[in-house]
Amino acid sequence: MKRNPQLLLLVGAPGSGKSTFAEQLIRTEKNWMRLSRDDLRLMNFNHSILSRYEESLLSEMLDGMIKTVLRKKYGVLLDATHCRARYLNHYIKKFNTMADISFKVFECETEELIVRCEKRYAATGRYVPEEVIRRYVAELETLKQTFDFTPRPMKQGKQ
């Protein structure tokens, strides 16, 4: 039996281990690609705070990449914070006729996230302010109470 393409959405605050997990998975599993919103932002813009237009452009680029990779029957590991239901619902609505969709939630104590982000800043220069980390932690807590993280099997329909 042929397996459907897979879209795995990583969910968690900055510093929770999403990228580490993603990088390990693509090293050990065949036919998976990691797509990272942060990496696209760094690669294509010379600043980290983008205008609405630039964020919209980035979203279109990412969606196009996801579509291309799924059409080639590769799994997509989407590496981004995804702490709001509207982000997850966007990917479900847009790609559930192309792939099975599942979620992996990363949780970590807030103080540990702050320490990890400070270490990442020292190593890479990628800065996440403490208040942003705390906001994502709060958003994740709300999301866990309101969002159904059960996998979504691929639906038949127009691709």
Side-chain angles (χ1 to χ4, degrees), residues 17-63:
K18 298 178 306 296
S19 295
T20 301
F21 170 84
E23 291 164 2
Q24 180 63 30
L25 186 130
I26 63 167
R27 278 196 300 270
T28 60
E29 298 294 323
K30 289 184 177 182
N31 299 323
W32 279 89
M33 294 191 109
R34 171 183 174 258
L35 299 179
S36 167
R37 187 175 188 92
D38 288 343
D39 288 352
L40 281 175
R41 184 180 287 112
L42 290 171
M43 190 171 44
N44 291 289
F45 297 94
N46 64 0
H47 50 285
S48 61
I49 299 180
L50 304 183
S51 69
R52 283 183 183 215
Y53 174 78
E54 290 167 329
E55 283 292 345
S56 174
L57 178 59
L58 188 64
S59 294
E60 285 186 46
M61 291 167 58
L62 188 57
D63 285 356

Side-chain angles (χ1 to χ4, degrees), residues 12-21 106-129 133:
S16 60
K18 298 178 306 296
S19 295
T20 301
F21 170 84
F106 292 78
E107 297 183 83
C108 186
E109 295 295 323
T110 303
E111 298 309 314
E112 177 63 22
L113 294 172
I114 293 167
V115 168
R116 289 178 183 183
C117 286
E118 288 172 354
K119 287 180 182 177
R120 180 171 53 195
Y121 176 58
T124 68
R126 292 172 62 183
Y127 178 67
V128 180
I133 296 166

